[in-house]
Amino acid sequence: MERFLFVYHGTPGPDAATRHDRSRWAAWFDGMGSRVIDRGSLTHSAVEVPRRLLGPKESASSLCGYSIVEAADFNEAVEIGERCPIFDEDGSVEIARLTMPLT
């Protein structure tokens, strides 16, 4: 089994969390069972650091959360991602294969 980072994108802003249907997300995660390594978290606000020594600026990113999921391969990860509730919230999911941890 491989590990995949699911990054959720949606409309940024303070009301993003209110559009989030917790019961749909819980059902999706529960349906994956032990494949969910880390349910992750929603994001509330973000800053971007474009270069060293310039300092942070408010991010215009649509990043709204992440999870780590285990799947047999990329195809299975995509199949899992296609059932994600983020699509019901007018968002999208980006999936990346994780390699060995940075140390």
Side-chain angles (χ1 to χ4, degrees):
M1 294 294 258
E2 297 182 69
R3 291 181 178 200
F4 295 87
L5 175 66
F6 284 41
V7 178
Y8 309 112
H9 296 276
T11 306
D15 63 332
T18 60
R19 290 191 313 268
H20 180 72
D21 184 345
R22 291 180 186 269
S23 63
R24 292 180 62 91
W25 283 83
W28 182 61
F29 284 126
D30 291 345
M32 284 188 276
S34 64
R35 291 178 183 229
V36 179
I37 304 302
D38 180 354
R39 286 188 180 211
S41 179
L42 294 175
T43 60
H44 181 272
S45 58
V47 295
E48 179 182 353
V49 181
R51 293 187 189 165
R52 274 186 251 170
L53 305 177
L54 283 182
K57 66 177 187 172
E58 187 174 337
S59 176
S61 171
S62 64
L63 172 68
C64 62
Y66 78 95
S67 299
I68 299 175
V69 176
E70 208 169 44
D73 55 27
F74 224 120
N75 290 330
E76 185 178 37
V78 169
E79 289 174 15
I80 292 168
E82 288 174 335
R83 295 187 296 271
C84 181
I86 194 72
F87 298 111
D88 300 325
E89 301 170 11
D90 295 323
S92 65
V93 61
E94 182 177 355
I95 301 171
R97 179 182 283 126
L98 296 174
T99 59
M100 67 178 130
L102 299 173
T103 55

